Amino acid sequence: MAAKIHPSTRSMITFCFLLVSTASAMTEEQPFATNLDPKLLGLKKEKLTHFRVYWHDIIGGSKPGDKPTSFEVLPPLRLNDAAMFGLVNIFDNPLTVGPDPASQLVGKSQGLYASASQHQFGLLMAMNFAFTHGKYNGSTITILGRNPIFDTVREMPVIGGSGRFRFARGYAQATTHFFNATSLDAIVEYNIYVLHY
């Protein structure tokens, strides 16, 4: 003889079954990623832009009154290490249109560099070029890469950006314009080639 199920229990079982099947259907119908038409985000034709700016890394100050823009946050792991392995500096460096620190300021380079090579003085650079001038005001270009500073020209990838540089990609070439071995101050010319919308 089959057990009788009370009508209220039957209703509760039916409700739970419907709830579970609805939740399962909702999960299947709502994917976490969808393909979009770039035009929906206002993206038009991709363009290539070249920037030439000068990056001023002021550590000790070459002239009286110079204020540091780059600070050591971790010293090298070993004293008297020519590669300075383990050194980490954080910076908020001016970006100007010319090598003269008094030339027009167009932004700041904010980030860090770390000596990441045990055998050669090679830096890992992680930085944003945050522009403050003209139509690029408020936009950033992000650079992340290896910088063997004693090479004449060093190339690092542009991995993205914000504002006018959303979806940006490209590369930056760094060339030392000036270096003071006493103060460790440097002025580096950056030629940046960016594909962006």
Side-chain angles (χ1 to χ4, degrees):
M1 176 176 201
K4 290 187 177 183
I5 299 175
H6 192 273
S8 63
T9 305
R10 184 176 294 137
S11 296
M12 183 59 81
I13 292 170
T14 304
F15 174 75
C16 288
F17 175 76
L18 288 173
L19 185 64
V20 168
S21 14
T22 303
S24 172
M26 284 177 61
T27 303
E28 292 172 13
E29 292 174 12
Q30 296 181 3
F32 70 94
T34 57
N35 292 328
L36 292 177
D37 182 349
K39 292 176 186 169
L40 290 174
L41 295 176
L43 301 177
K44 298 176 184 170
K45 187 178 177 186
E46 196 171 38
K47 53 190 161 277
L48 175 64
T49 303
H50 169 237
F51 292 91
R52 183 175 64 198
V53 293
Y54 290 83
W55 184 87
H56 300 265
D57 195 46
I58 304 166
I59 296 174
S62 300
K63 302 182 303 270
D66 282 350
K67 293 183 180 176
T69 62
S70 182
F71 297 90
E72 182 180 295
V73 291
L74 284 175
L77 296 175
R78 296 179 295 264
L79 294 176
N80 302 321
D81 180 1
M84 298 181 73
F85 183 64
L87 168 80
V88 177
N89 266 47
I90 193 158
F91 57 85
D92 183 13
N93 290 342
L95 295 173
T96 61
V97 295
D100 184 342
S103 64
Q104 182 181 8
L105 181 72
V106 293
K108 293 291 200 87
S109 175
Q110 298 164 331
L112 60 89
Y113 53 81
S115 180
S117 174
Q118 293 188 59
H119 307 293
Q120 143 186 42
F121 199 54
L123 300 177
L124 166 68
M125 307 288 294
M127 58 187 165
N128 285 317
F129 279 33
F131 295 101
T132 57
H133 183 73
K135 69 180 183 179
Y136 301 109
N137 183 23
S139 297
T140 65
I141 293 172
T142 303
I143 297 171
L144 174 67
R146 181 175 180 269
N147 183 358
I149 63 169
F150 294 121
D151 289 1
T152 304
V153 178
R154 291 89 66 192
E155 185 173 302
M156 293 166 273
V158 169
I159 62 166
S162 66
R164 288 184 173 265
F165 302 110
R166 292 178 187 142
F167 301 106
R169 65 192 194 285
Y171 66 96
Q173 291 181 320
T175 307
T176 302
H177 179 78
F178 165 82
F179 177 71
N180 183 315
T182 304
S183 68
L184 303 180
D185 294 352
I187 299 171
V188 180
E189 177 184 332
Y190 273 87
N191 281 284
I192 308 168
Y193 300 88
V194 186
L195 282 165
H196 61 102
Y197 288 95

